[in-house]
Amino acid sequence: MTNPLNPELAAELVRRVAVDQHARGVREGQDDVESDWEAMRVVDADNTAWLKTVVAECGWPGNTLVGEEAANAAWLLILLYSLHSCRILGSSGGPEWVSRLGGLLSSTT
């Protein structure tokens, strides 16, 4: 395992997933609780804006840039968002199918 090129970004991705999961009622080592819908909305909006900036400035945060755990965290953040969030991947240099999905969603919503 190699060290990520951007450990600060890696740590922030992991932190954001923890906050996201907490809003969704996931409690590590405890029983899950009811989701806080307002908190989820706020967290999703913040993560969407932040990740859009990250992708614009650094490209997709993949394994080389942030390491496997944080790269998985980035995908988890994307998967948890509503359809509009997929647009941030549009022309980020990510996988071609993701770019197509982002473009399709942008044209249909």
Side-chain angles (χ1 to χ4, degrees), residues 89-106:
L89 294 173
S91 61
S92 68
E96 184 177 339
W97 68 268
V98 174
S99 296
R100 288 183 189 172
L101 176 61
L104 175 64
L105 293 174
S106 293

Side-chain angles (χ1 to χ4, degrees), residues 36-50:
D36 181 338
W37 292 97
E38 179 59 20
M40 285 170 46
R41 186 190 65 73
V42 170
V43 168
D44 282 351
D46 182 55
N47 285 338
T48 298
W50 177 79

Side-chain angles (χ1 to χ4, degrees), residues 5-17:
L5 295 176
N6 192 330
E8 294 83 14
L9 178 57
E12 182 62 13
L13 281 160
V14 171
R15 184 196 72 77
R16 284 178 177 269
V17 165

Side-chain angles (χ1 to χ4, degrees), residues 29-95:
Q30 303 174 22
D31 291 338
D32 291 348
V33 299
E34 189 171 326
S35 297
D36 181 338
W37 292 97
E38 179 59 20
M40 285 170 46
R41 186 190 65 73
V42 170
V43 168
D44 282 351
D46 182 55
N47 285 338
T48 298
W50 177 79
L51 197 52
K52 182 176 182 178
T53 301
V54 168
V55 170
E57 292 176 2
C58 305
W60 181 254
N63 290 351
T64 301
L65 184 62
V66 296
E68 186 175 357
E69 179 184 15
N72 288 339
W75 278 111
L76 182 60
L77 290 177
I78 287 294
L79 292 173
L80 293 171
Y81 298 153
S82 61
L83 291 177
H84 77 276
S85 299
C86 289
R87 287 187 215 130
I88 71 173
L89 294 173
S91 61
S92 68

